């Protein structure tokens, strides 16, 4: 018989909180648009991890369904974000967010 490894729910939620904090710090501190998008992805994955952990604790598939929804939102965010990134690079020849902050009309 194979013994299953049980990870306490608190550990999973703590990991999700740490990942979300790292992503939030990256969004607030970074000036490069690519790094900001990567930090947003970390935050979305942290939310997905929290849903999966809680769903597994309750024995429901709802957390995994929500994670699939989060993955689809992340894919849409990447597509739109990269389109905006290419346009900003063409216009300013830089990926610094401070240059895009000075846009006029």
């Amino acid at each position: 018989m194979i013994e299953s490894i049980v990870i306490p729910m608190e550990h999973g939620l703590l990991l999700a909180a740490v990942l979300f904090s790292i992503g939030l710090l990256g969004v607030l501190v970074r000036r490069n648009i690519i790094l900001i998008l990567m930090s947003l992805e970390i935050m979305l994955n942290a939310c997905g991890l929290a849903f999966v952990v809680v769903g597994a604790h309750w024995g429901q598939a709802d957390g995994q369904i929500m994670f699939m929804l989060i993955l689809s939102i992340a894919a849409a965010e990447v597509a739109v974000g990269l389109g905006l990134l290419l346009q900003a690079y063409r216009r300013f020849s830089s990926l610094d967010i401070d240059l895009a902050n000075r846009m006029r009309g």
Side-chain angles (χ1 to χ4, degrees), residues 31-96:
R31 297 288 96 201
N32 190 328
I33 298 174
I34 293 176
L35 294 176
I36 291 173
L37 288 175
M38 288 173 59
S39 296
L40 284 173
E41 290 293 325
I42 291 172
M43 291 170 65
L44 284 171
N45 284 327
C47 292
L49 176 64
F51 278 118
V52 169
V53 166
V54 171
H57 178 72
W58 288 337
Q60 299 290 325
D62 296 344
Q64 294 171 356
I65 293 170
M66 288 300 294
F67 186 69
M68 291 172 66
L69 176 68
I70 289 172
L71 284 180
S72 63
I73 291 171
E77 180 246 334
V78 166
V80 171
L82 287 179
L84 290 171
L85 180 81
L86 288 173
Q87 290 299 324
Y89 186 73
R90 284 183 187 163
R91 185 169 191 167
F92 303 113
S93 298
S94 175
L95 295 178
D96 189 10

